[in-house]
Amino acid sequence: MFFPENSELRAERRRLLDRLGDGSYGAKGSSIEEVICLPGTRVAILDRINEWIKNTSPSTERVLWIRGMAGRGKSAIASTVAHNWASKGSCAIFHFRRGQNTLDGQFICALARQLGKGLVPEVKKAILDCVRENEDIAKKRLDEQFKTLLVGSLGKLQDHAYPIVIVVDALDECNDDADAVRFVRLIDQHSSFIPTNVKFLLTCRPEAPLLVALEPRTWHAEDLDLMPDVSYDITRFVQHACKQIRYDHGLPKTWPSPADLNRIVEMSQGLFQWAHTAITFVGNRSPADQLQDLLQQSSILGGLDELYRQILSKAFNEVKKDPKREQLLSWILGTLVVAPHPVSLDVIGFLYADHDTLVGRAEIVQSLRKNILADLNSLIHISTSSSEPMRLMHTSIRDFLTDRQCEHQPYFVDLSREHRRLATACLQIMGRDLKKNICGLSDILKSNSEVQTEVDRQLSQGLRYCCRSWSTHLTTGVTWSEIAEATSVVIVKFQLISDEKLLSWLEVMSLIGATTEALAMAKHVHQWLLDCSQKMPDQFLRTLWNDTQRFIAAFYEPISSCALHIYASALTQCPVETTLWKKYGCQATARMLLGKRQQNWPTNIWTSSAADEGVRDIAFSPDGKFLAAGFGGGIIQLLDVQTGAWLGEPLVGYRDLSAWFVFSSGPKPLASGSDDDTVRFSEVQSRTPLGEPLTGHSGWITSVIFPLKGEIWASGSDDKIVRLWNMVPKESMDGRLCRHSKWNRSVDLSPDGKILASVSVDNTVRLWDAQTGASLASLGEPLAGHSIWIKSIVFSPDSRILAFTSGDDTFQLWDSQTGASLGEPLAGHSNSISSIVFSPDSKIIASASYDNTVRLWNAQPGASLGEPLTADLELTAPGGLYLSLPWACKPQISNPLPSKLIPRPITIESNWVICGSKRLMWVSHHYLTPRTRVEILSPWRFALESELYDSHGYVFDISGSFKL
């Protein structure tokens, strides 16, 4: 029996699907109706594919690989399979397209979204349940998305009766070859955990990186380049197309002649793309004349490039008498080539509405169809719906248009120039159209998913394109090597948007579900500004866009949940000494009436909490992109340095507690010491052990360290010995052992490989010659300074600074050359620090603690190391608290509403202040502790106070948020 969804269930389903991003991105090629195979063609290969999909025996491979050169019909086959199986089970398809790669990294989310919107209830439920448990999955790495959305959800459907088909087309056109190869390897690694009815169909050209990844597999493969003669299929296709042309134009049944038809088939040379393009060209305008034009050049039109050249030359000859029409046609081609997101006729009309050719025309779309693009229907797919994306029919067309051999032709596309022109257009439109509360929303209690009807009505597709694409066009089009005149106009418009419309842009990105994109854009623009600092000495823009990326990251939850909370929650709590607050603080709709405002972004970039176990040790990867954290229970987990997010599955397999570890200076190994008296090596990417554990110590391993240079590494143990090892072979250098009078806790080698430092339970640090094992007498007595036992040590990358952690929850810096202490101990953690480490560039210090957190600290350029680095305590407030504020901390507010008259209790749940079920405001960690108490003081005022800090009370007035 069918039970219709109520409105709340539909809203929740849409909300969950929105967490996966835009599912339509990549779901279509040139339009699925256009690219599927003609009935009666490709019969043999389609039959083989269908039989493979239906075969669910355990011995059947889960992957079918279709390979072939450009124009062989790979995409048509892939789309046909998706079209046929969409109604028979669950099917999702993603087409990679060169030049439209902005969201390629989200293709797994796009596939999952399609499955979550499919017809099969069990599959929909599995996907939605998975997203509900992992709502931030779109921000995770590719491997985690794969394991969560595909392996995790589909793995629950072992007894599912219907096929689940996942089609990934043109994998070779993925912008990042590494992502494409990684996807292939993920399928191979996890196929045994996926039900046998789940099948992956992959298509690609025989490109080198993918060949290396695919060829060793024993998967089924269909090589279109080795197929027997396909003339029959192409003949059938051409006959069918000509029949339709005869009907549309009233031509006799004898047209075309058998000889002409055969010549078309011969000219195709087995390329379906050539046949499709040629026959579309013939059917445009006067078919008889077009056919003669085609056949008269049969001797030179045997390849795709020559065919494209003829079609483009003819189209531009039609408009060359009108320079304005020629310019607009060139601009549209350039837009289709460089656009990072799909564009429709509506978007084209929106972007170029002020062009002289279109000004004053009531029907811009029709004018584009009939007067500008009419001769390019064979190269550009133009849907009958003006809102559907336009696309170049084939990637080879883009390659031809950007080839320097066409540089002097009117259809040549200069990528840098087109990006710069579109950046100017996008920024100009944004400056004209963006404004605060652009959709006129009045209810801050409604989430973005609840106001999509109004968003669809108010935000045109053209403005959405501008907001999502301007940064790509700007940073690609302005390379700073060109003359100032070429870039001055676009830079002025960028400055204007930054100065006046930045939050309005962020509001649109929030409303269309693109907050993650906005964060990536802000980071990219900031890095671009840093790269061109010599060309733009003005510090304002660099500071503002650094603030912007910090702002989005710090307030991601309220910004992505409801666009109005940019002004109600995020801006209200933005640090007041930042350039962003000084420029836009006046737009905040809520106020802090009592309490000390945060001044600047904390030096503590992020805090990441472990689930159950204390953090034993941490280490930066050599490239500084991620951290490894070791926990009790034999587990090592990787974290993303930029976001603090946990990356993929942990490294496991260690007996007892995984103690200390470090990355080698080489590309792969991670070495770790364990309580079983051994040292182990692991390969980070595959998370697999390398060889057997190394033995030699007679006590549990307390520390392992590699130098940045040299051929030795060191390990420390509670057997009172620091042992030096050769890198290759991995064997102990028995004559070079450094001994303490008591067992040592930690060792570290200076990056230059010259000094070995070791710390013992006698609260001293000793320095040794790493080559000989001799004590460095030049430093005199062992280093000592902490009154409580020293736990671990680490060198800075320049070998000049040593950092010690102590049992009093602090760490301290020392000069390794003189043995002098550099300032006071640095405090911030609420429990013992287990490890600290410098980033490769020495700008960041990371600390791990048994308070279950990992903290990053900024070391400001030029700042004295004698000054302590401090961080704000960032802990997650528990949900469901309803506590009263002590009278001593209450502000004197006239006629406060008594708490007993409030109809519903006010609570804090996951940082949200909630009255009943309504979210009033999101509160930053800066103003919360685990003992934060909240109370309503009047209808639109509430107070926060922490038992941990009796002098700190906060009062917020949110009345302005309800007057929008």
Side-chain angles (χ1 to χ4, degrees), residues 267 295-302:
M267 291 169 66
L295 296 179
Q296 284 174 3
Q297 302 187 57
S298 60
S299 61
I300 62 173
L301 293 183

Side-chain angles (χ1 to χ4, degrees), residues 105-123:
Q106 296 294 309
F107 74 96
I108 291 178
C109 287
L111 291 168
R113 177 166 180 143
Q114 292 176 55
L115 294 175
K117 292 178 65 178
L119 302 175
V120 182
E122 296 89 343
V123 177

Side-chain angles (χ1 to χ4, degrees), residues 588-826:
T589 58
R591 296 177 297 156
M592 183 184 292
L593 301 181
L594 178 69
K596 184 179 179 181
R597 287 290 299 271
Q598 186 177 1
Q599 299 299 299
N600 280 297
W601 300 113
T603 53
N604 183 20
I605 300 172
W606 51 254
T607 298
S608 186
S609 297
D612 300 309
E613 300 284 351
V615 183
R616 298 287 301 274
D617 192 30
I618 54 174
F620 273 103
S621 63
D623 59 9
K625 293 182 179 180
F626 56 89
L627 280 168
F631 303 94
I635 295 174
I636 298 175
Q637 178 71 59
L638 303 182
L639 299 92
D640 186 294
V641 167
Q642 294 298 320
T643 66
W646 300 101
L647 302 176
E649 297 296 322
L651 294 164
V652 295
Y654 298 93
R655 201 189 82 189
D656 303 320
L657 300 180
S658 175
W660 314 106
F661 56 88
V662 68
F663 289 92
S664 78
S665 57
K668 294 184 178 180
L670 175 78
S672 61
S674 181
D675 287 2
D676 62 2
D677 307 344
T678 65
V679 178
R680 298 168 184 262
F681 287 82
S682 299
E683 204 280 326
V684 176
Q685 294 297 328
S686 65
R687 292 171 168 77
T688 56
L690 294 175
E692 296 297 320
L694 302 184
T695 60
H697 284 289
S698 59
W700 62 282
I701 308 300
T702 58
S703 187
V704 178
I705 190 67
F706 281 98
L708 292 182
K709 302 175 182 178
E711 298 298 325
I712 62 172
W713 57 279
S715 58
S717 169
D718 73 346
D719 60 6
K720 306 178 186 179
I721 294 175
V722 178
R723 190 176 291 271
L724 302 182
W725 305 73
N726 280 316
M727 290 281 285
V728 181
K730 298 186 183 73
E731 60 183 21
S732 176
M733 299 164 62
D734 291 332
R736 301 180 185 179
L737 305 180
C738 312
R739 297 178 181 271
H740 276 279
S741 60
K742 295 183 179 180
W743 63 275
N744 67 78
R745 293 187 181 276
S746 178
V747 296
D748 192 24
L749 275 164
S750 62
D752 59 13
K754 296 179 180 179
I755 302 174
L756 173 67
S758 60
V759 60
S760 175
V761 294
D762 59 7
N763 296 347
T764 64
V765 174
R766 293 182 180 272
L767 303 181
W768 315 81
D769 186 312
Q771 302 302 315
T772 66
S775 175
L776 294 178
S778 60
L779 288 176
E781 295 298 318
L783 306 183
H786 284 285
S787 59
I788 301 178
W789 54 280
I790 301 172
K791 290 193 61 179
S792 63
I793 52 176
V794 65
F795 278 95
S796 63
D798 62 4
S799 303
R800 298 186 61 84
I801 306 298
L802 263 178
F804 304 168
T805 66
S806 171
D808 61 2
D809 310 341
T810 67
F811 66 94
Q812 191 167 6
L813 304 178
W814 297 70
D815 188 316
S816 67
Q817 306 301 310
T818 65
S821 173
L822 298 174
E824 297 298 319
L826 306 179

Side-chain angles (χ1 to χ4, degrees), residues 142-153:
L142 179 72
D143 57 346
E144 192 161 353
Q145 290 180 5
F146 183 91
K147 286 180 277 190
T148 301
L149 293 173
L150 299 184
V151 179
S153 58

Side-chain angles (χ1 to χ4, degrees), residues 186-204:
L186 284 168
I187 296 174
D188 192 29
Q189 292 170 8
H190 298 281
S191 60
S192 60
F193 301 103
I194 301 175
T196 56
N197 61 318
V198 178
K199 300 297 178 69
F200 291 88
L201 176 64
L202 312 179
T203 77
C204 70

